[in-house]
């Protein structure tokens, strides 16, 4: 989510699976945090996800593996504890993977609009389809956090800016494609699984944002539906 800056005039604005960068603004470096010796409420599930022996008991090796996952995806505190936030991210990844190449199996994204970009907030997935044909995706996305939700409904891309910079947050928003006020598809330099979410935009990896940029044009439809977990 970012204000729209056009040629020096500030416009009014409200703003598959890869290994993204770690969050750049954690409360403290991961190295400075102590490693938790406590067994978390989701210990066995987290161990299984990470390919660790799923005995449900915290070990030094478990903690190291959990901390690495937390640091990679900006989950704080980065102490290797198998808590609800860490498991929530992993559970979402599992659900995203289970979708396979049929993201619109439920038929909720319109198939009578031609080329359309779909955003499933519940699964934090997006894809581009043309009628019933899948054109690209599904890809993981990071949508608006609680009180900054990505707004649902049928919209249209109305402005594109490949080198956009938010005038609200003074951060780059490469490959921006705006479809609802200041809400846009754009790439980010942090994990798309980083909680709690964006300020309303649909964050994507650079690879996926570039592909969306090449496939979409002004006037193309965007359909956003569902509800992001935690909002």
């Amino acid at each position: 989510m970012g204000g729209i800056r056009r040629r020096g005039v500030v416009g009014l604005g409200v703003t598959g699976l890869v290994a993204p960068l770690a969050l750049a603004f954690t409360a403290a470096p991961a190295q400075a945090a102590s490693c938790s010796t406590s067994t978390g409420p989701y210990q066995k599930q987290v161990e299984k996800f990470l390919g660790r022996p799923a005995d449900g008991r915290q070990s030094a090796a478990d903690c190291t593996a959990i901390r690495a996952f937390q640091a990679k995806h900006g989950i704080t505190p980065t102490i290797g504890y198998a808590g609800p936030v860490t498991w929530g991210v992993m559970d979402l990844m599992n659900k995203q993977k289970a979708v396979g190449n049929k993201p619109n199996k439920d038929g909720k994204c319109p198939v009578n609009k031609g080329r359309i970009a779909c955003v499933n907030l519940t699964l934090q997935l997006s894809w581009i389809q043309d009628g019933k044909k899948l054109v690209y995706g599904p890809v993981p996305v990071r949508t608006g956090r609680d009180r900054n939700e990505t707004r649902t409904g049928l919209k249209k891309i109305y402005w594109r800016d490949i080198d956009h910079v938010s005038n609200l947050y003074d951060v780059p928003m490469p490959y921006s494609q705006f479809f609802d006020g200041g809400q846009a598809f754009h790439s980010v330099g942090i994990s798309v699984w980083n909680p709690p979410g964006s300020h309303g935009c649909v964050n994507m990896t650079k690879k996926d944002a570039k592909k969306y940029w090449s496939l979409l044009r002004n006037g193309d439809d965007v359909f956003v539906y569902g509800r992001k977990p935690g909002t």
Side-chain angles (χ1 to χ4, degrees):
M1 185 172 180
I4 301 169
R5 178 181 294 158
R6 271 187 237 219
R7 298 178 184 175
V9 178
V10 177
L12 195 57
V14 184
T15 324
L17 306 181
V18 295
L21 300 176
L23 181 63
F25 48 87
T26 49
Q31 309 91 289
S34 58
C35 204
S36 174
T37 59
S38 299
T39 295
Y42 296 93
Q43 190 73 36
K44 188 171 287 188
Q45 295 97 315
V46 168
E47 290 168 342
K48 183 177 180 181
F49 181 92
L50 293 173
R52 301 283 310 145
D55 58 10
R57 298 190 301 272
Q58 178 79 316
S59 68
D62 288 337
C63 186
T64 297
I66 296 169
R67 286 182 72 190
F69 180 88
Q70 291 169 336
K72 184 177 185 178
H73 300 296
I75 300 169
T76 56
T78 312
I79 59 174
Y81 182 71
V85 176
T86 299
W87 170 243
V89 173
M90 293 176 174
D91 187 44
L92 178 61
M93 288 180 171
N94 283 335
K95 291 174 179 175
Q96 290 172 333
K97 186 177 180 180
V99 168
N101 63 354
K102 296 182 178 180
N104 200 35
K105 186 178 180 180
D106 57 13
K108 290 184 178 179
C109 192
V111 296
N112 61 347
K113 296 289 184 181
R115 180 67 55 95
I116 186 171
C118 311
V119 181
N120 181 333
L121 298 178
T122 305
L123 290 177
Q124 293 290 282
L125 287 176
S126 182
W127 64 94
I128 298 172
Q129 63 186 38
D130 194 338
K132 294 183 179 180
K133 179 184 177 183
L134 181 64
V135 176
Y136 185 74
V139 298
V141 293
R142 178 177 182 260
T143 67
R145 65 188 72 184
D146 191 30
R147 300 186 182 182
N148 289 278
E149 291 88 348
T150 305
R151 294 180 287 274
T152 57
L154 183 64
K155 301 123 186 333
K156 286 185 181 292
I157 293 174
Y158 70 90
W159 187 53
R160 295 167 12 116
D161 185 1
I162 197 168
D163 292 316
H164 188 72
V165 176
S166 169
N167 67 326
L168 292 180
Y169 303 102
D170 195 30
V171 293
M173 297 167 54
Y175 304 99
S176 284
Q177 301 191 78
F178 291 88
F179 55 81
D180 186 350
Q183 297 189 348
F185 294 112
H186 69 84
S187 71
V188 289
I190 59 174
S191 170
V192 292
W193 291 283
N194 166 249
S198 74
H199 287 94
C201 285
V202 178
N203 296 165
M204 315 180 82
T205 66
K206 183 178 180 180
K207 171 180 174 288
D208 294 331
K210 286 179 69 175
K211 191 66 176 180
Y212 268 48
W213 181 270
S214 72
L215 291 172
L216 299 174
R217 296 291 182 267
N218 283 336
D220 281 350
D221 289 305
V222 177
F223 186 68
V224 182
Y225 70 98
R227 184 171 182 174
K228 177 181 171 71
T231 63

